[in-house]
Each structure stands twice: as C-alpha cells, then as structure tokens.
Amino acid sequence: MIRTLAAETRKLLSLPAVWVAGVLAIGLPVALAAANASMLRRALDTGRTGGLLSTSTLDEGFGQLTFGIVGIIVLAVVAVSSEYARPLERAGSSRQVLTTMVAQPRRGVLVSAKLLVVVLSTVLLAAVAIPITLYASQQGLGPYATDFSGVLVPRAAGATAYWVCTAMLAFGLTALTRSGVVPMVLLITNASMVSVSLLLAQVTPLAKYLPDLAAYPSFMTEHPMADHLSPAVGLVVCGIWSAVTITAGAASYILRDA
Amino acid sequence: MRALTATIMAELRKLWTLWYLPLTTALTWGAALVVARTLNDGRHGSLPPADILRTVPDYVQVGLVVIGVLAVTTEYTSRQIAVTLTCAPRRTVVAAAKVVALTVSAAVVALGAMLLARATIPTDWTAAEVTVVLLTSAYLVAASLISAALGLLLRSLVATLTVSLVLLVVVPPVVATLTDAAAFLPSAAGAALYGVVGSSARLGPAGGGGVLLAWTLGLWGAAAATLERRDA
C-alpha cells in the first residue's frame, strides 16, 4: 500500500496538468477575492453600489473559494483520465493503466491509493488557498472586512470538505466514464454562475439536496435558496453523493476489463 | 477547390460518425427545452419571450463547447490526425475544411436548440424574436469554433475543456462586475450581439459581433498557423 501510494503520488506530480490545476485552485479564488474586495471597498467608500450584484461582505473570501474547485476538478479528473489517454509522446504504445495494473494487480489497493493521493492533494491545496484567499479579501476590504474570528475554523473546514467532496465526485465520474468530459462539463459549469443547480433551485425545493447547494451553508452565510440545509446535514448529504459516486467509480475500476 | 470540397465532406463524415455528437446534440436540445420551460413557467415574473431566448445560450453553450472541443481533440487522442494529414497533406485545407464542417454542424445543433426553446413559448413569433434566434445561434456557433481552435492549439482534451469552459462559462460573469474590459470577452460580445442590455454587453450588436468575429478568426488564424508549422 505504501509503495502504491508513493507510485501514485509520483505519477500525479509528474503530470503537467496537475500543476496547472494547482495554479487554478489557488490563483482563481485569490485573484477574484482580491479584485472583488477592492472593488467592493471602493463602491462602499463612494456609496456608488448600483452596478454590483451584492454589497454584502459576509461571504467575501469564502464565496470566491467556490471558483477554486475548477482546479480541484482538473486535478481529480487527470489523476484518473491520464491513465486512459494516449498522449502524443506515447503514440503507438499502450495506455498507462495497463502498466499500472501489471505493476499492482490488486485493483482495490490501487484505486484506494489513487483516491487517497487526490484527497490529500486537495486538502493541501485548500490549506494553501483558503488562508491566502481570506487574507487577500480582508486586505482588499480593509475596514469593511467581516470578522471571522470564532467561525474561521469551522467555515474553513466546511470549505475544505466541499473541495474534497467535489474532488471525489470528479474522481468517481471519471473512473466510471474513463474520460474527463462528463465530470468536467457537469462540475465546472456548475461552479459558474450559470449553474444547473441554481436553475433547479428556482424550480424545486429538492434542489437543496444537490451536492453543491447542500455544502454551501457549511462555509457561506448567504444561500440561493431561502430554505436550505443546515451546515452539518449539508455536509453529510454532500458526503453521501461523493460516497455513492466513488463506490460506483471504484467498482467500475475494479470489476470492468481495463 | 475539389480537394477542399472532398476534405470538407470527409470532415463532416468524421464528425457525424463520432458517437458523442448525436448524444451531445440530444442533451443540448433537451437542456434548451428544460431551461426555456423553466424560465417560462411564470414564477420568474414572466420574462418577455425574447429575453427568455437571450438567456438560453448561457445554459446550452456548454453543449456547443463540448462539440467544438471533441471535434478536434478526439483526432489527437486516437492519433487519427496522422491519417487525416496523410490523406490531406495540405494542412491549411484541413483547417479550412474543419472550420466549414464544424460551422455547419454547430449551426444545426444551435439553431435546433433555439427553435426548441422558442417552441415552448405559446405566443406567435415576432420579427425581433426571429433575429434573436438567429443571432443567439450565431453566437453558439462562434463558441463552438472558438473551443475547436483552442483544441487545435492545445491538443489535449482536459486542457482544452478547462480553458474553453473557464474562458466562455466561468470567468465572464465574475469579471463583468470587476472591469469594463470584460465586455470584450467572447460571451459578453455575444450577449451584446443578440441584444442583452447591461453594462457587460455595452458594445452593441455590431460591436459585439465584430469582437466575437475577431476572437473566432484570431484563434483560428493561430490554430491554422500552428497546425501548418508544428509537428503533428
């Protein structure tokens, strides 16, 4: 298991896409938090808040963390899909997954190690991204910054849990479909403002059980739905989504002909 | 000219024999129906029909992005590109044929989606709505072409999908509140083209159309030049 973990870590870190994913996961929320905070401060200073979607500073910083999951999705997708791809430099040779499975024939161990490496990388990226994003946001807002003391640790933990859930969803979907298309389209689009979740939130109250809308209350105070889940229940619901997807993905990885 | 026609036919055939194309088309059309019905059900202060049609592209453009990305990157993941370039060694012809084939295919998907969205609205068509349907479809085709050009430049499926989705879907609404330059992003230019009113779409129809065309032609120019010069 230790050797497989080391191998999976090395494989993951040698993918150029993973470094891009890291830059996206940290860079997107930090840049957006800094830009949004300074603009919000200017607007609040001058009183010209007409063009803004929201003048609330309650979720500044934590709100921008939702964009960091673009990087996390890329990370989780390439960890699985790169094994099935035939990149240019290996044109004509077999897919990496065959080599991997020859080296470690116990697929349960293999998929667990791969998932563990992805989850740990996600936690690591969150541990870097969250403090920098919050710092950038608080610096930008200056006197208008919300005081997070007291709620900082639980909300940071909630945001990290949301990132981990998303990583597991992306991982499971990629293992199921052996391609990054479905998880990327579904999850990255949903991380944007034209998300299917937000549309469904206007149609049915059941939308509060969608993974992203369920996880939001654990790190944000504002929510697109008036009637939303409590932070704890939300995280459990999000966890169930990931657990089901991961189980399906792992079963497909273990049982299906590679 | 005959080489170009033959290559276009070959590109069209390649596109429509890919299993994901009918699937993505069906999903895109389904999404158009669902979104239009949702916006139309009265709970949203009954938007005017033209505004419903102007909102649909935000949701269905993902389908067109996927078609554009996969049209190009599948050639690289399966190494089909080697066969393609053996059959049609003049690479600018291949690039031109890809543009034509994708434009035709994306137009069918986009127009179909917009017509289905319009079909959920019970009132009679107005001239303005015809224009909106045509211009939203034009934007969707451009989004598909932009994604395909990025695919030719980046060649990797994951990289192309990431860049396309971030550029066209994720970043524009966020950046719109931050800087006026956001009006020059492809989706904001598209919104200006089909008549969305707002600060992020302040270029106007002609300006928006021009900017969108510049993005498409610019990226395809770069993609064609790269295809021509780079080892495939």
Side-chain angles (χ1 to χ4, degrees):
Chain A
M1 183 71 189
I2 300 292
R3 280 187 176 183
T4 314
L5 266 179
E8 288 299 331
T9 311
R10 188 178 294 181
K11 277 198 296 193
L12 193 67
L13 293 182
S14 61
L15 291 170
V18 165
W19 298 98
V20 179
V23 170
L24 283 174
I26 299 169
L28 269 182
V30 170
L32 291 174
N36 210 47
S38 62
M39 185 210 52
L40 201 57
R41 179 182 185 172
R42 228 180 309 128
L44 290 171
D45 274 340
T46 55
R48 293 211 313 261
T49 53
L52 299 181
L53 293 174
S54 158
T55 55
S56 162
T57 58
L58 285 176
D59 281 336
E60 274 306 305
F62 278 110
Q64 279 79 27
L65 286 171
T66 56
F67 294 104
I69 66 160
V70 173
I72 299 304
I73 295 162
V74 173
L75 171 85
V77 163
V78 292
V80 182
S81 74
S82 67
E83 297 241 12
Y84 292 97
R86 287 193 186 85
L88 302 174
E89 57 269 26
R90 286 210 316 278
S93 68
S94 68
R95 296 162 304 154
Q96 192 186 33
V97 67
L98 299 181
T99 314
T100 305
M101 285 180 172
V102 169
Q104 170 54 283
R106 280 153 58 206
R107 296 191 186 179
V109 174
L110 197 56
V111 74
S112 316
K114 204 182 264 299
L115 179 63
L116 196 59
V117 171
V118 168
V119 167
L120 289 178
S121 318
T122 304
V123 173
L124 198 69
L125 282 171
V128 177
I130 293 173
I132 306 182
T133 306
L134 292 180
Y135 179 78
S137 173
Q138 303 264 323
Q139 285 297 309
L141 281 171
Y144 301 105
T146 307
D147 182 15
F148 287 127
S149 54
V151 292
L152 185 63
V153 173
R155 287 177 74 178
T160 310
Y162 171 56
W163 278 28
V164 170
C165 274
T166 311
M168 289 169 77
L169 279 174
F171 188 100
L173 285 172
T174 314
L176 263 182
T177 60
R178 296 185 176 183
S179 138
V181 179
V182 174
M184 288 182 73
V185 167
L186 220 58
L187 298 172
I188 294 186
T189 311
N190 231 29
S192 76
M193 284 180 174
V194 285
S195 94
V196 182
S197 297
L198 293 183
L199 190 71
L200 286 175
Q202 303 187 343
V203 184
T204 160
L206 290 175
K208 67 183 175 188
Y209 294 107
L210 288 169
D212 50 347
L213 293 177
Y216 284 166
S218 67
F219 62 101
M220 292 195 286
T221 49
E222 287 161 346
H223 197 276
M225 300 176 77
D227 170 38
H228 57 76
L229 299 173
S230 72
V233 176
L235 280 185
V236 171
V237 169
C238 194
I240 293 173
W241 278 95
S242 332
V244 170
T245 319
I246 282 293
T247 310
S252 147
Y253 193 82
I254 294 168
L255 301 173
R256 197 164 54 165
D257 197 6
Chain B
M1 198 61 211
R2 266 187 64 195
L4 182 63
T5 322
T7 317
I8 291 172
M9 292 314 290
E11 287 294 334
L12 271 174
R13 186 173 298 181
K14 276 199 297 193
L15 261 182
W16 285 97
T17 48
L18 290 166
W19 62 270
Y20 69 81
L21 203 83
L23 181 70
T24 315
T25 305
L27 289 174
T28 308
W29 287 358
L33 272 176
V34 172
V35 170
R37 283 192 90 115
T38 308
L39 294 169
N40 202 17
D41 72 354
R43 262 180 282 185
H44 305 274
S46 62
L47 282 171
D51 284 346
I52 293 177
L53 295 174
R54 288 186 182 106
T55 315
V56 172
D58 288 349
Y59 291 91
V60 301
Q61 64 171 335
V62 182
L64 277 300
V65 167
V66 168
I67 290 173
V69 168
L70 287 177
V72 171
T73 55
T74 47
E75 288 236 40
Y76 287 98
T77 45
S78 65
R79 294 302 300 156
Q80 193 185 38
I81 187 74
V83 181
T84 303
L85 294 178
T86 309
C87 298
R90 292 188 35 211
R91 298 189 177 185
T92 36
V93 174
V94 173
K98 278 191 184 302
V99 171
V100 175
L102 185 59
T103 306
V104 172
S105 311
V108 171
V109 179
L111 210 54
M114 294 313 299
L115 288 175
L116 282 171
R118 180 61 187 79
T120 64
I121 299 166
T123 52
D124 285 334
W125 282 78
T126 63
E129 286 163 33
V130 176
T131 316
V132 171
V133 164
L134 290 176
L135 292 180
T136 44
S137 303
Y139 163 70
L140 290 171
V141 171
S144 202
L145 284 170
I146 286 172
S147 316
L150 289 169
L152 216 44
L153 286 167
L154 298 167
R155 296 192 281 192
S156 138
L157 169 73
V158 172
T160 312
L161 257 185
T162 310
V163 174
S164 307
L165 289 175
V166 167
L167 176 73
L168 293 166
V169 182
V170 178
V171 159
V174 188
V175 182
T177 55
L178 299 177
T179 161
D180 286 346
F184 293 93
L185 285 171
S187 50
L193 169 70
Y194 52 77
V196 171
V197 183
S199 58
S200 61
R202 65 190 157 78
L203 294 173
V211 169
L212 194 59
L213 197 64
W215 272 97
T216 313
L217 292 180
L219 281 172
W220 265 101
T226 311
L227 182 70
E228 178 78 29
R229 285 159 180 273
R230 187 170 58 183
D231 192 9

Coordinates of all heavy atoms in Angstrom, one line a residue, chain A residues 153-211:
Chain A
V153 N -12.4 28.6 11.9 CA -12.0 27.2 11.8 C -13.2 26.3 11.2 O -13.0 25.6 10.2 CB -11.5 26.7 13.1 CG1 -11.2 25.2 13.0 CG2 -10.2 27.4 13.5
P154 N -14.4 26.4 11.8 CA -15.4 25.5 11.2 C -15.7 25.9 9.7 O -16.0 25.0 8.9 CB -16.6 25.8 12.1 CG -16.3 26.9 13.0 CD -14.8 27.0 13.0
R155 N -15.7 27.2 9.4 CA -16.0 27.5 8.0 C -14.9 27.1 7.0 O -15.1 26.6 5.9 CB -16.3 29.0 7.9 CG -17.7 29.3 8.5 CD -18.0 30.8 8.4 NE -18.3 31.2 7.1 CZ -18.7 32.5 6.8 NH1 -18.8 33.4 7.8 NH2 -19.0 32.8 5.6
A156 N -13.6 27.2 7.5 CA -12.5 26.8 6.7 C -12.6 25.2 6.5 O -12.4 24.7 5.4 CB -11.2 27.1 7.3
A157 N -13.0 24.6 7.6 CA -13.2 23.1 7.5 C -14.3 22.8 6.5 O -14.2 21.8 5.7 CB -13.5 22.5 8.9
G158 N -15.4 23.5 6.6 CA -16.5 23.3 5.6 C -16.1 23.5 4.2 O -16.5 22.7 3.3
A159 N -15.3 24.6 3.9 CA -14.9 24.8 2.6 C -14.0 23.7 2.1 O -14.1 23.2 0.9 CB -14.2 26.2 2.5
T160 N -13.1 23.2 3.0 CA -12.2 22.1 2.6 C -13.0 20.9 2.3 O -12.8 20.1 1.3 CB -11.2 21.8 3.8 OG1 -10.6 23.1 4.2 CG2 -10.1 20.8 3.3
A161 N -14.0 20.6 3.2 CA -14.9 19.4 2.9 C -15.6 19.5 1.6 O -15.7 18.5 0.9 CB -15.9 19.3 4.1
Y162 N -16.0 20.7 1.2 CA -16.7 20.9 -0.1 C -15.7 20.6 -1.2 O -16.1 19.9 -2.2 CB -17.2 22.4 -0.2 CG -17.7 22.8 -1.5 CD1 -18.7 22.0 -2.1 CD2 -17.2 23.9 -2.2 CE1 -19.2 22.4 -3.4 CE2 -17.7 24.2 -3.4 CZ -18.7 23.5 -4.0 OH -19.1 23.9 -5.3
W163 N -14.5 21.1 -1.1 CA -13.5 20.8 -2.1 C -13.2 19.3 -2.2 O -13.2 18.7 -3.3 CB -12.2 21.5 -1.8 CG -12.1 23.0 -2.2 CD1 -13.2 23.8 -2.3 CD2 -11.0 23.7 -2.6 NE1 -12.8 25.0 -2.7 CE2 -11.5 25.0 -2.9 CE3 -9.7 23.5 -2.7 CZ2 -10.6 26.1 -3.3 CZ3 -8.8 24.5 -3.1 CH2 -9.3 25.8 -3.4
V164 N -13.1 18.6 -1.1 CA -12.9 17.2 -1.1 C -14.0 16.4 -1.7 O -13.8 15.5 -2.5 CB -12.6 16.7 0.4 CG1 -12.5 15.2 0.4 CG2 -11.2 17.2 0.9
C165 N -15.2 16.8 -1.3 CA -16.4 16.2 -1.9 C -16.4 16.3 -3.4 O -16.7 15.4 -4.2 CB -17.7 16.9 -1.4 SG -18.3 16.2 0.1
T166 N -16.1 17.5 -3.9 CA -16.1 17.8 -5.3 C -15.0 16.9 -6.0 O -15.2 16.4 -7.1 CB -15.9 19.3 -5.6 OG1 -16.8 20.0 -4.8 CG2 -16.1 19.6 -7.1
A167 N -13.8 16.9 -5.4 CA -12.8 16.0 -5.9 C -13.2 14.6 -6.0 O -13.0 13.9 -7.1 CB -11.5 16.1 -5.0
M168 N -13.9 14.1 -5.0 CA -14.4 12.7 -5.0 C -15.4 12.5 -6.1 O -15.5 11.5 -6.8 CB -14.9 12.3 -3.7 CG -13.7 12.2 -2.6 SD -14.3 12.0 -0.9 CE -14.8 10.3 -0.9
L169 N -16.3 13.5 -6.3 CA -17.3 13.4 -7.3 C -16.7 13.3 -8.7 O -17.0 12.4 -9.5 CB -18.3 14.6 -7.3 CG -19.4 14.6 -6.3 CD1 -20.1 16.0 -6.4 CD2 -20.4 13.5 -6.6
A170 N -15.7 14.2 -8.9 CA -15.0 14.2 -10.2 C -14.2 12.9 -10.4 O -14.2 12.3 -11.5 CB -14.0 15.4 -10.3
F171 N -13.6 12.4 -9.4 CA -12.8 11.2 -9.4 C -13.7 10.0 -9.8 O -13.5 9.2 -10.7 CB -12.2 10.9 -8.0 CG -11.2 9.8 -8.0 CD1 -9.9 10.0 -8.0 CD2 -11.7 8.5 -7.9 CE1 -9.0 8.9 -8.0 CE2 -10.8 7.4 -7.8 CZ -9.4 7.6 -7.8
G172 N -14.9 9.9 -9.1 CA -15.8 8.8 -9.3 C -16.4 8.8 -10.7 O -16.4 7.8 -11.4
L173 N -16.8 10.0 -11.2 CA -17.4 10.1 -12.5 C -16.3 9.8 -13.6 O -16.7 9.2 -14.6 CB -17.9 11.5 -12.7 CG -19.2 11.9 -12.0 CD1 -19.5 13.4 -12.1 CD2 -20.4 11.1 -12.6
T174 N -15.1 10.2 -13.4 CA -14.0 9.9 -14.4 C -13.8 8.4 -14.4 O -13.6 7.9 -15.5 CB -12.7 10.7 -14.1 OG1 -13.1 12.0 -13.8 CG2 -11.8 10.7 -15.2
A175 N -13.7 7.8 -13.3 CA -13.5 6.3 -13.2 C -14.6 5.6 -13.9 O -14.4 4.6 -14.6 CB -13.3 5.9 -11.8
L176 N -15.8 6.1 -13.8 CA -17.0 5.5 -14.4 C -17.0 5.6 -15.9 O -17.2 4.7 -16.6 CB -18.3 6.1 -13.9 CG -19.1 5.5 -12.7 CD1 -20.3 6.3 -12.5 CD2 -19.4 4.0 -13.1
T177 N -16.7 6.8 -16.4 CA -16.8 7.1 -17.8 C -15.4 7.0 -18.5 O -15.3 7.0 -19.7 CB -17.3 8.5 -18.1 OG1 -16.5 9.4 -17.5 CG2 -18.7 8.6 -17.5
R178 N -14.3 6.9 -17.8 CA -13.0 6.8 -18.3 C -12.6 8.0 -19.2 O -11.8 7.9 -20.1 CB -12.8 5.5 -19.1 CG -12.9 4.3 -18.2 CD -12.6 3.1 -19.0 NE -12.7 1.9 -18.1 CZ -12.4 0.7 -18.5 NH1 -12.0 0.4 -19.7 NH2 -12.5 -0.3 -17.6
S179 N -13.3 9.1 -18.9 CA -13.0 10.3 -19.7 C -13.3 11.5 -18.9 O -14.2 11.4 -18.0 CB -13.7 10.3 -21.0 OG -14.3 11.5 -21.3
G180 N -12.6 12.6 -19.1 CA -12.9 13.7 -18.3 C -14.1 14.6 -18.7 O -14.4 15.5 -18.1
V181 N -14.7 14.2 -19.9 CA -15.7 15.1 -20.4 C -16.9 15.3 -19.5 O -17.2 16.5 -19.2 CB -16.2 14.6 -21.8 CG1 -17.2 15.5 -22.4 CG2 -15.0 14.5 -22.8
V182 N -17.5 14.2 -19.1 CA -18.7 14.3 -18.3 C -18.4 15.1 -16.9 O -19.1 16.1 -16.6 CB -19.4 13.0 -18.0 CG1 -20.5 13.1 -17.1 CG2 -19.8 12.4 -19.3
P183 N -17.4 14.6 -16.1 CA -17.2 15.3 -14.9 C -16.9 16.8 -15.1 O -17.3 17.7 -14.3 CB -16.1 14.6 -14.2 CG -15.5 13.7 -15.2 CD -16.6 13.4 -16.2
M184 N -16.0 17.1 -16.1 CA -15.6 18.5 -16.2 C -16.8 19.4 -16.6 O -17.0 20.4 -16.1 CB -14.5 18.6 -17.3 CG -13.2 18.0 -16.7 SD -11.8 18.1 -17.8 CE -11.5 19.9 -17.8
V185 N -17.5 18.9 -17.6 CA -18.7 19.7 -18.1 C -19.7 19.9 -17.0 O -20.1 21.0 -16.7 CB -19.3 19.1 -19.3 CG1 -20.7 19.7 -19.6 CG2 -18.4 19.1 -20.5
L186 N -20.0 18.8 -16.3 CA -21.0 18.9 -15.2 C -20.5 19.8 -14.1 O -21.2 20.7 -13.6 CB -21.2 17.5 -14.7 CG -22.6 17.0 -14.4 CD1 -23.5 17.2 -15.6 CD2 -22.6 15.6 -13.9
L187 N -19.3 19.5 -13.6 CA -18.9 20.1 -12.3 C -18.3 21.5 -12.6 O -18.6 22.5 -11.8 CB -17.9 19.3 -11.6 CG -18.4 17.9 -11.2 CD1 -17.3 17.0 -10.7 CD2 -19.5 18.0 -10.2
I188 N -17.6 21.7 -13.6 CA -17.0 23.1 -13.9 C -18.1 24.1 -14.2 O -18.2 25.2 -13.7 CB -15.9 23.1 -14.9 CG1 -14.7 22.3 -14.5 CG2 -15.5 24.5 -15.3 CD1 -13.5 22.3 -15.4
T189 N -19.1 23.6 -15.1 CA -20.2 24.5 -15.4 C -21.0 24.8 -14.2 O -21.4 26.0 -14.0 CB -21.1 23.8 -16.4 OG1 -20.3 23.3 -17.5 CG2 -22.1 24.8 -17.0
N190 N -21.2 23.9 -13.3 CA -22.0 24.1 -12.1 C -21.2 25.0 -11.1 O -21.9 25.6 -10.3 CB -22.3 22.7 -11.4 CG -23.8 22.6 -11.2 OD1 -24.6 23.2 -11.9 ND2 -24.1 21.9 -10.1
A191 N -19.9 25.1 -11.2 CA -19.2 26.0 -10.4 C -19.3 27.5 -10.8 O -19.0 28.4 -10.1 CB -17.7 25.6 -10.3
S192 N -19.9 27.7 -12.0 CA -20.0 29.0 -12.6 C -21.4 29.6 -12.1 O -22.2 29.0 -11.4 CB -20.0 29.0 -14.1 OG -21.2 28.5 -14.6
M193 N -21.6 30.8 -12.6 CA -22.9 31.5 -12.2 C -24.1 31.0 -13.0 O -25.2 31.3 -12.6 CB -22.7 33.0 -12.3 CG -21.9 33.6 -11.2 SD -21.7 35.3 -11.4 CE -20.8 35.7 -9.9
V194 N -23.8 30.4 -14.1 CA -25.0 29.8 -14.8 C -25.1 28.3 -14.5 O -25.2 27.5 -15.4 CB -24.8 30.0 -16.4 CG1 -25.1 31.4 -16.8 CG2 -23.5 29.6 -16.8
S195 N -25.1 28.0 -13.2 CA -25.1 26.6 -12.8 C -26.5 26.0 -12.9 O -27.5 26.7 -12.8 CB -24.6 26.5 -11.4 OG -25.6 26.5 -10.5
V196 N -26.5 24.7 -13.2 CA -27.8 24.0 -13.3 C -28.4 23.9 -11.9 O -29.6 24.0 -11.8 CB -27.5 22.6 -13.9 CG1 -28.8 21.8 -14.0 CG2 -26.8 22.6 -15.2
S197 N -27.5 23.9 -10.9 CA -28.1 23.8 -9.5 C -28.9 25.1 -9.2 O -30.0 25.0 -8.6 CB -26.9 23.8 -8.5 OG -26.2 22.6 -8.7
L198 N -28.4 26.2 -9.6 CA -29.1 27.5 -9.3 C -30.4 27.5 -10.1 O -31.4 28.0 -9.6 CB -28.2 28.7 -9.7 CG -27.0 28.9 -8.9 CD1 -26.2 30.2 -9.3 CD2 -27.3 29.0 -7.4
L199 N -30.4 27.0 -11.3 CA -31.6 26.9 -12.1 C -32.6 26.0 -11.4 O -33.8 26.4 -11.2 CB -31.3 26.5 -13.5 CG -32.5 26.6 -14.5 CD1 -32.7 28.0 -14.9 CD2 -32.2 25.8 -15.8
L200 N -32.2 24.9 -11.0 CA -33.1 23.9 -10.3 C -33.6 24.5 -9.0 O -34.7 24.2 -8.6 CB -32.4 22.6 -10.1 CG -32.2 21.7 -11.3 CD1 -31.3 20.5 -11.0 CD2 -33.5 21.3 -11.9
A201 N -32.7 25.3 -8.4 CA -33.1 25.9 -7.1 C -34.4 26.7 -7.2 O -35.1 26.9 -6.3 CB -32.0 26.7 -6.5
Q202 N -34.6 27.3 -8.4 CA -35.8 28.1 -8.6 C -37.0 27.2 -9.0 O -38.1 27.7 -9.0 CB -35.5 29.1 -9.8 CG -34.3 29.9 -9.5 CD -34.1 31.0 -10.5 OE1 -34.7 30.9 -11.6 NE2 -33.4 32.0 -10.2
V203 N -36.7 26.0 -9.3 CA -37.8 25.1 -9.8 C -38.4 24.2 -8.7 O -39.6 24.1 -8.5 CB -37.4 24.3 -11.0 CG1 -38.6 23.5 -11.5 CG2 -36.8 25.1 -12.1
T204 N -37.4 23.6 -7.9 CA -37.9 22.6 -7.0 C -37.1 22.8 -5.6 O -35.9 23.1 -5.6 CB -37.6 21.2 -7.5 OG1 -37.6 20.3 -6.4 CG2 -36.3 21.1 -8.2
P205 N -37.8 22.6 -4.5 CA -37.2 22.7 -3.2 C -36.2 21.6 -3.0 O -35.3 21.7 -2.1 CB -38.3 22.7 -2.2 CG -39.5 22.1 -3.0 CD -39.3 22.5 -4.4
L206 N -36.4 20.5 -3.8 CA -35.4 19.3 -3.6 C -34.0 19.7 -4.0 O -33.1 19.0 -3.7 CB -35.9 18.2 -4.5 CG -37.2 17.5 -4.0 CD1 -37.6 16.4 -5.0 CD2 -37.0 16.9 -2.6
A207 N -33.8 20.8 -4.7 CA -32.5 21.2 -5.2 C -31.6 21.4 -4.0 O -30.3 21.4 -4.2 CB -32.6 22.5 -6.0
K208 N -32.1 21.7 -2.8 CA -31.2 21.9 -1.7 C -30.4 20.6 -1.4 O -29.4 20.7 -0.6 CB -32.0 22.3 -0.4 CG -32.9 21.2 0.1 CD -33.7 21.8 1.3 CE -34.8 20.7 1.7 NZ -35.7 21.3 2.7
Y209 N -30.8 19.5 -1.9 CA -30.1 18.2 -1.7 C -29.0 18.0 -2.7 O -28.3 17.0 -2.7 CB -31.0 17.0 -1.7 CG -32.0 17.0 -0.5 CD1 -33.3 17.3 -0.7 CD2 -31.5 16.8 0.8 CE1 -34.2 17.4 0.4 CE2 -32.3 16.8 1.9 CZ -33.7 17.1 1.7 OH -34.5 17.1 2.8
L210 N -28.8 18.9 -3.7 CA -27.7 18.8 -4.7 C -26.4 19.0 -4.0 O -26.3 19.8 -3.0 CB -27.9 19.8 -5.8 CG -29.0 19.5 -6.8 CD1 -29.3 20.7 -7.7 CD2 -28.7 18.3 -7.6
P211 N -25.3 18.3 -4.4 CA -24.1 18.4 -3.6 C -23.6 19.8 -3.3 O -23.2 20.1 -2.2 CB -23.1 17.5 -4.4 CG -23.8 17.3 -5.7 CD -25.2 17.4 -5.5

